[in-house]
Each structure stands twice: as C-alpha cells, then as structure tokens.
Amino acid sequence: MAEIGSRAKRPDDPRLLTGRGRYVDDIVLPRMLHVAIVRSPHPSARIARLVTDAARSAPGVVRVLTGEEAARLCKPYRGILLHYTGMKTGAMLPLAVDRVRYAGEPVVAVAATERAAAEDAAEQVVVDYEPLPAVLSPEAAQAPGAPLIHAELGDNVIYAARMSAGDVDRAFADAARTWRRRFVVGRHTGVTLEPRSLVADYEPATRALTVWISTQVPHMMQAVLAELFGLPEHRVRVVAPDVGGSFGIKIHVYQDDMAACALAVALGRPVKFVATRRESFVSDIHAREQTVDVEVAARADGTVLGMRAAITAPVGPYSAYPRSSVVEGGQVLRLLPGPYRVASYDATLRVVAQHKVITSQYRGVGHPIATAVTEAMLDTIARDLDLDPAEVRRRNLVRPEDFPYTSATGLVYDSGSYHASLGALLEAARYDELRKEQTLARRSGRSIGIGLSCFIELTGPGAQFYGIGGAPISGQDGTTVRVEPSGGVTVLTGVTEQGQGTRTALAQIVADELGVPIEAITVVSGDTAVVPYGGGTWASRGMPIGGSATLLAARALKDKIRRVAARLLEAHEDDVAVESGRASVRGSPDRGLTFAHIARTVHFRSNELKGLEPSLEATTHYANPEAWTFTNGAHLAVVEVDLETGAVRLLRYVAVDDCGRLINPALAEGQITGGIAQGVGGALWEHCVYDDAGQLLTGSLMDYKIARADDLPAMELHHRETPAPAIAGGFKGVGEAGTTGAPAAVLNAVNDALAPLGVMLTEQPLTPERVLRALWGRDTTRS
C-alpha cells in the first residue's frame, strides 16, 4: 500500500491516475499533517494577547488554529447528566477562548508536515497571559468570596446530593461505641502504555469524517463527533484498533482531540495527533482526589448499626464530557455501606470545581475509595473492641439467605459469595498461622501488618448509568456471528479490545456453542462501519453485556445451521445435532454436513434451500435486564514497614474473586493482577502532586511512581463462581476488582503494622514521608 503523500502510479505508467481515470502529472495525494498543541502554563489566567504570525510562516506549517477559529467549527459542550438533578458546569471548547482554567489547557493547535515542524512552530506562538487567583482546594473553592471559575454559574459547586436510609440518630444513640475519621485520597491518573492518539481524515465533498482513535467507545465517539461538528452521524466513522491500555482514561472527550479533528475538518486533509507522556500528565483525566469524613456506630460485639459520611470531591474546572465528573463521587456515596448489612445511613456529597486537570472515571470509579474507607473503619472497630478483623467482617457481611439484598443506598446486590469468599481467603492465606508468624516477627523487632478487604464491584450496567441522563452512551451491545463459505466463523462485536483479551474470550464463547476450534474464529471489533452498535468497554461490561450478546447470537446461528442442515439432509430439525463443526442426524452420524458444505450451499446454491432464508448469520443485541450485577471479592495483604525510612514493602498478596461464570481463568487472573498492581500503586506511590501555584510537580515518570514488577510479590489468586442470575451467560465483570480491593487491604496492613505504636494513617498514598511524620509527630494530616 502506498504511503500517504506518495504518488498514485500504475505499475506500467509513470503518470498519476485521477479518480476520473485521467492522468495528471502534477497531482500529489494530500500528505498527513502532524499536530502540536500550545498549552497554558497557568492554572487560571486571562488571555490578553495571542500572536501567531511567526508560527504561521514557520517551515512546514499548514495551519495554526486558535480558540476562536476552533469555536466556529466545533460546538461548546458540557458534561451534564440530567438524572443528577441540579448539576451544572461550564462549557468546554477544543481550545481556550479568553480564559484558561488549568495548567495544560490547550490554547493553540499547529498542523505541519512533520511533528518536529509543528512543535518548533508551537514554540513561536506568543501568548500574553494575565494571571488570576487560582482556586486549588475544595475549601478555597467554597469559601465566601472565592474567585468564580465560571462566573455565570454563581458558585464553584458543580453538584450536591444527600442519601439517607433508616434511623441514623437512633442507631448512634443505641451504639456501644462510635468512631469518626477523615480519609483523604490523593489524585492519580491512568498512565496507559499507549498514550492517547488519533488520525482524523475529512472528505469535504461528502462531509465524511473518519477517525482512527485510541478509544474504548467508538460508537459514543461517532455520536459526539457528529453532534459537535454538525455532521450527519452516518457520515462519521470511528475506528478503534487494538488499544494499548485504557483503564477508563479513553472513554472521555478531550479538548486536544477535538482540536485535531477541527484541523482535519478545516483542511480536508488527514491529521495526526499523539500526546506525549508529559502532555498526558496534564491532559489525561485525573481521578480519586476526595475527602471523606465518616462516622460509624456499632454494638459491643462489632455489629455496625449506622454510618454517617460527608464526601467532598474536587474535580477540576469542568465536568468531563459526556460522562461528567460527578459519577466517582456518586459511586462513593452509594457504595460506602459496602457488602455489609448497614441499615441506617446518612451521607452527603459535594462536587466542587477547582483550577486543576479535570477528574473523571478511571478504573474502579469510586469503588477503591469507598472500600478503603469502610474497610479501615471495620479494622478500627476490631482494634478498639479487641476483636479479630475477620470476625468483625463475618458479623456484618450480607448473608447468603439475604440475596437479592437492597442496600441502604438502594443498590440491589443480585448475588454473591461474601461469606464464602472471605472463608476461602482465610483458608488460602493460612490466616491463623499468619497471625502467629506476625507475633513472632514483632518480637524480633519487625513491623509486620496484615490487612483484609471485602468488597463489591458494580459491573455490567445498562442505560441507568448514562443513557437516562441524556449521554450518547449505549447500555446495550450487539454481536453478529456468521459462517463464511470456507466454514470459518466471523464474529463482529461492539465491545472493544484494550488488551484485556476480549477477542479471545468471545471466540471461546462461540467455539463452545458451535463446537468449532477457536482457530476457525475471527473476531472483529472497534469499527463503527462494520460492527453492530454497542457501548464499548467500560464499567466491567465486556463479558456481562458483550459476552451475553455473543452467546445469544451464537445460539441463534446454531438454530439457523440446524434448520438449513435439516432441509438439506431431509430430516426434522429437532433430529439434527450441531457439534464439532458439523450438522448431522442424531443416531446416524454418517448423515452429516460440514459447516463449509452448508455455507457454500447457502451462498452459492441457495435454490436447494426451498424457501428458507439463504443466511448463516445472526445478530443479537443484549442489555442487562436489571440495573447491574455485582462482583465480589476478599483480599489480604501482608506488608512490612521500615520504621527508620518509612518505606512499605508488600510481602504477600492473596485474593479471592467471584466474577460469576468464568470464561477464561487466565484472562481473569490477568485482569485481577493488573488491577491489584494499580490499586497497590495508588495506595503507596501514585500521586498527582500540585504546588501552591497550581503547577503539577509530578509531570513525568521520573516523579510519578507506578508499581513495577519488582515492587510486587507473586499474586496468589483464587476464584469462586456465583453466576449472575439475570445475565444470559451468568457472567459478571472482573476488570476493576483488583483495583477496588487492593488499596483497602494495603491501608489496613500498614495500619496493622503501626498499631502497636498507636499510629493510624488515613491519607493515601502511604508515602515514606507520611509514615515517618506519623511516627515522629503522631500527625497524619496533609502537609
């Protein structure tokens, strides 16, 4: 295939061949352009002057796009979900106009023939800023007289909510003890192996836009691009090839991506944008930054009677589009009761704007925060009442006979193995022996800690998550399965491949249903022009929704194969068995036809079908008939804390996870292991640190530490299988389980190690500095 920008030549003719069959010597196909972005160095400032003359005349530059020019091509957009009543946010544009609201916000986009030329020209753009006061903390944002991030909104509160159930006042009055703590979780981000990237190509004659993009949600991006650029949706094609990791980072609409698409539309030429690692740190969404003030009440035996909480979630200057930035806080609000029988609950949530990078959905979306807070409070109860932490959990977990269980926040836990998973964990980890070993280690001067974590994970949601809020995010997914004339099977799926092994798992489902070898199956995903409409990959929905759609499509195809074979074999279809790539008459295995024979008949000799539809293809669309299904798990971490340096070393990690019916244990374990690694990283090291001027100090992998292989022990992973009762295949999600359980297990292990010294840490990450400060000053507050 000729490289873009080369001359299109016939092998036997040196001249160029145009689309109309005429030869023209001087036509050259448009070369792909490369984009560089000029970003704001200030967290809050007015753009006083913008000079682009030198950049426009720089070598190789084809176009310099300013905010006002981009605004004429792309509509403003706001990340608001209608079912979050009262939510408000400022509007975003591809490039800032008049004001910048976080350090890293795109201001100018430069398109040039080479990336280096674009970057050189970007350095010649002159922007004069008038710095304005920056609002960085939620306290400052809500203070009287605070600078308004969006003056038209009246204040800096994006959303506020309250949830109550039971009689909280009575629960606290009847309690033997109450406990109150403040937990702070630091910002972190996804650090995907492959940065965000795209190639956009616009054809003015047909108003057709094609975007190859590193995304989890091709159909959502198709709808968004059509809406924002005023294009017919059927003229927008989005292709998401194999994506090198996403973790929720790639389900959002980014300003620089829209700027690159605006350049493609303006120029009618293919445009490429790839974020550098440094750009990723100041443009990829951040997550997790929250403060949770929590109070629990319990009987003397450790039974929890009630819980109060106040959650504050600063989310940057805008609410992310189109999923919003309120969902993570909303998840914490709903998930704090965890897998426990907490009847009385009262909690508030305030989502606040600030002059930092936008935060939004990232792997786990609130689960790790809620789990860490609740699990740490259970350990506090156990420690103060001189009870074993495992026993406190046994006394509070939802019991098998309670399912389906409606939590105090209205979530319906459809099924699970809460007690059984905890029991399996304690057995696998040799919990009683571990406690004895810990005692011996402490006598020798070592600070060893053991931490438990029981959790739930909301997976496979439908329209209740986003669709009812007006976002163009599908809660259903479709799969097409067909037999080709060769006898091979092609699967077209709306679920995307992010490295989690989706294609392998879907191929296994089809192979099992049709009885064909997995090598005979080709799975195609990520192309809106090819695959059925679907929601893509998010919220651990790939197998519950996409897997179920594939299962039902394979079964529908199997029925078609049986009907066609029955006609060709002159048998009743109930007497035809479909297995091992053949359809044969039961009891007469010699009377059978291969899939290839049947398919060739359908495609090439359909006259033999005598009225049957000449098709060996089936498409099924599937949505969870319930709101969601819940995965559950129990994890255990063993750590050693160096009291001289404050360093925490993870010695052992044991996990039991129940993700419903398992399709491929190896893939499930890969997801769990990766999730644990990210969860441990968030608990111990990962932190997007800002200074008092609103500048990100951890803007590269030199400063932002993620978990490495030598930081982690070999994971000891175990499974239970409780099929989801409402899901076609009984599947549940597993992609976020490790990330959910790990921070709580590590936090509890560190606090268990430090408990003899009277220290409890409640701020993550648990850096050596924080450990030492707590040990020296018994002060765990933020610096």
Side-chain angles (χ1 to χ4, degrees):
M1 181 176 179
E3 181 182 351
I4 293 177
S6 63
R7 290 174 174 263
K9 300 177 181 178
R10 263 179 40 182
D12 58 345
D13 198 305
R15 295 173 296 168
L16 292 170
L17 178 64
T18 70
R20 297 187 179 185
R22 293 175 295 179
Y23 293 103
V24 181
D25 287 335
D26 298 325
I27 293 179
V28 178
L29 295 177
R31 291 183 62 185
M32 182 164 65
L33 302 176
H34 299 262
V35 176
I37 303 293
V38 178
R39 299 180 184 274
S40 169
H42 300 284
S44 178
R46 183 176 293 108
I47 299 174
R49 188 172 69 108
L50 180 61
V51 180
T52 61
D53 295 349
R56 292 180 192 274
S57 59
V61 171
V62 176
R63 181 70 181 265
V64 175
L65 190 71
T66 65
E68 291 183 352
E69 293 168 335
R72 291 193 286 270
L73 296 167
C74 176
K75 300 175 185 176
Y77 46 95
R78 300 173 190 263
I80 291 177
L81 295 175
L82 301 178
H83 56 305
Y84 284 81
T85 305
M87 183 187 173
K88 62 184 186 289
T89 186
M92 274 186 284
L93 287 164
L95 301 169
V97 176
D98 298 330
R99 284 279 304 275
V100 292
R101 293 178 170 87
Y102 64 94
E105 183 166 13
V107 178
V108 173
V110 179
T113 53
E114 303 291 341
R115 175 66 183 256
E119 291 176 346
D120 289 345
E123 292 182 357
Q124 298 184 55
V125 173
V126 177
V127 187
D128 290 340
Y129 297 95
E130 295 177 359
L132 298 170
V135 177
L136 302 175
S137 71
E139 294 80 14
Q142 299 177 88
L148 297 181
I149 295 174
H150 298 280
E152 69 275 15
L153 300 182
D155 59 36
N156 293 322
V157 178
I158 288 176
Y159 176 70
R162 182 171 194 160
M163 299 194 79
S164 296
D167 189 339
V168 177
D169 291 340
R170 179 63 181 272
F172 275 79
D174 291 346
R177 289 281 306 275
T178 64
W179 295 263
R180 183 180 182 86
R181 297 287 188 276
R182 165 170 283 197
F183 292 86
V184 178
V185 180
R187 276 184 171 236
H188 41 279
T189 187
V191 196
T192 58
L193 182 65
E194 174 192 60
R196 290 185 298 107
S197 54
L198 66 80
V199 172
D201 190 13
Y202 181 68
E203 173 49 64
T206 57
R207 301 188 68 215
L209 176 66
T210 302
V211 180
W212 294 264
I213 184 171
S214 181
T215 183
Q216 302 168 232
V217 283
H219 282 105
M220 185 202 86
M221 290 304 301
Q222 178 189 39
V224 164
L225 290 167
E227 170 65 22
L228 296 187
F229 288 95
L231 301 171
E233 190 167 327
H234 64 279
R235 291 292 188 189
V236 178
R237 178 185 180 189
V238 175
V239 184
D242 287 348
V243 173
S246 52
F247 317 128
I249 297 296
K250 297 172 182 176
I251 58 173
H252 307 285
V253 174
Y254 289 93
Q255 292 169 280
D256 45 22
D257 286 345
M258 295 304 99
C261 290
L263 280 166
V265 171
L267 297 170
R269 291 177 63 172
V271 167
K272 180 178 182 179
F273 170 67
V274 179
T276 66
R277 183 63 67 190
R278 286 187 178 275
E279 284 183 300
S280 294
F281 275 108
V282 295
S283 60
D284 289 1
I285 62 101
H286 294 177
R288 301 284 196 266
E289 182 180 359
Q290 290 191 22
T291 300
V292 182
D293 291 296
V294 64
E295 189 176 8
V296 295
R299 295 192 180 102
D301 66 355
T303 303
V304 176
L305 297 176
M307 177 184 287
R308 294 189 181 111
I311 305 153
T312 304
V315 297
Y318 307 99
S319 174
Y321 183 77
R323 294 170 187 266
S324 89
S325 295
V326 304
V327 172
E328 183 161 52
Q331 290 279 74
V332 176
L333 181 68
R334 290 168 176 80
L335 291 167
L336 269 175
Y340 303 107
R341 290 172 287 115
V342 179
S344 296
Y345 178 73
D346 182 56
T348 61
L349 166 67
R350 290 180 75 80
V351 180
V352 182
Q354 61 181 165
H355 287 115
K356 294 182 181 179
V357 171
I358 300 165
T359 77
S360 193
Q361 286 81 324
Y362 161 62
R363 195 175 194 173
V365 194
H367 291 72
I369 301 170
T371 301
V373 169
T374 301
E375 293 300 297
M377 293 306 289
L378 286 180
D379 266 26
T380 301
I381 293 171
R383 192 172 297 119
D384 286 0
L385 297 180
D386 197 24
L387 297 170
D388 188 279
E391 183 56 34
V392 171
R393 286 164 174 79
R394 287 193 190 98
R395 295 176 185 181
N396 288 284
L397 282 168
V398 173
R399 299 161 300 204
E401 62 268 24
D402 296 329
F403 290 108
Y405 177 83
T406 302
S407 77
T409 62
L411 296 176
V412 178
Y413 304 164
D414 57 321
S415 59
S417 58
Y418 300 178
H419 280 269
S421 291
L422 176 59
L425 175 73
L426 300 178
E427 181 180 354
R430 299 178 292 106
Y431 182 71
D432 292 339
E433 293 180 38
L434 270 180
R435 286 296 182 189
K436 293 175 183 177
E437 293 170 5
Q438 179 187 38
T439 300
L440 293 174
R442 283 178 172 176
R443 288 175 184 169
S444 66
R446 298 175 65 193
S447 293
I448 302 295
I450 301 169
L452 293 173
S453 168
C454 293
F455 62 90
I456 50 176
E457 180 199 349
L458 188 156
T459 76
Q464 295 88 341
F465 237 57
Y466 297 112
I468 63 172
I473 301 166
S474 180
Q476 63 81 46
D477 239 283
T479 300
T480 297
V481 186
R482 66 170 177 253
V483 180
E484 306 291 356
S486 65
V489 178
T490 298
V491 179
L492 309 177
T493 177
V495 179
T496 53
E497 178 61 77
Q498 316 291 311
Q500 73 274 49
T502 292
R503 293 196 184 108
T504 299
L506 297 183
Q508 283 185 254
I509 292 172
V510 173
D512 287 348
E513 284 298 315
L514 299 183
V516 298
I518 197 169
E519 295 81 8
I521 300 170
T522 300
V523 180
V524 178
S525 66
D527 188 340
T528 60
V530 175
V531 304
Y533 205 97
T537 299
W538 48 275
S540 298
R541 67 187 297 278
M543 290 305 106
I545 310 302
S548 293
T550 301
L551 176 70
L552 296 178
R555 288 176 178 173
L557 175 60
K558 190 174 184 177
D559 288 341
K560 277 193 170 185
I561 294 170
R562 184 180 291 111
R563 284 195 295 272
V564 172
R567 183 64 55 88
L568 297 177
L569 293 169
E570 298 181 344
H572 192 281
E573 64 182 82
D574 291 343
D575 294 328
V576 175
V578 178
E579 54 190 8
S580 301
R582 297 179 78 253
S584 58
V585 178
R586 301 181 195 277
S588 301
D590 292 340
R591 290 184 61 199
L593 301 170
T594 65
F595 282 6
H597 183 103
I598 298 169
R600 285 195 296 271
T601 301
V602 166
H603 287 284
F604 310 137
R605 301 190 303 279
S606 55
N607 58 297
E608 297 180 23
L609 302 183
K610 302 176 183 178
L612 280 182
E613 179 189 9
S615 167
L616 288 182
E617 177 175 305
T619 298
T620 299
H621 288 261
Y622 184 81
N624 191 339
E626 305 295 336
W628 35 65
T629 185
F630 277 92
T631 291
N632 70 272
H635 290 192
L636 179 147
V638 181
V639 305
E640 181 169 10
V641 180
D642 187 323
L643 300 183
E644 292 187 356
T645 67
V648 176
R649 187 161 65 100
L650 184 61
L651 303 178
R652 192 177 176 201
Y653 201 96
V654 188
V656 175
D657 290 276
D658 187 337
C659 57
R661 180 185 169 197
L662 275 175
I663 299 169
N664 186 313
L667 293 179
E669 290 180 4
Q671 286 290 290
I672 294 166
T673 298
I676 291 170
Q678 284 186 299
V680 171
L684 294 179
W685 309 296
E686 295 189 42
H687 195 190
C688 296
V689 179
Y690 281 81
D691 65 14
D692 293 339
Q695 297 297 323
L696 182 67
L697 301 180
T698 50
S700 76
L701 290 173
M702 294 290 288
D703 307 300
Y704 185 96
K705 177 174 169 52
I706 60 175
R708 303 182 310 186
D710 59 354
D711 292 319
L712 305 172
M715 303 298 172
E716 302 171 46
L717 307 180
H718 306 271
H719 305 284
R720 296 193 65 84
E721 295 188 51
T722 304
I727 296 292
F731 314 129
K732 298 180 180 181
V734 71
E736 295 161 294
T739 314
T740 297
V746 171
L747 174 63
N748 283 341
V750 171
N751 282 328
D752 185 52
L754 299 177
L757 302 172
V759 170
M760 180 179 179
L761 292 166
T762 58
E763 185 170 359
Q764 296 182 62
L766 306 167
T767 60
E769 179 186 1
R770 285 178 175 151
V771 172
L772 289 177
R773 189 188 305 123
L775 289 170
W776 293 341
R778 302 297 190 264
D779 177 14
T780 61
T781 59
R782 181 184 299 185
S783 59

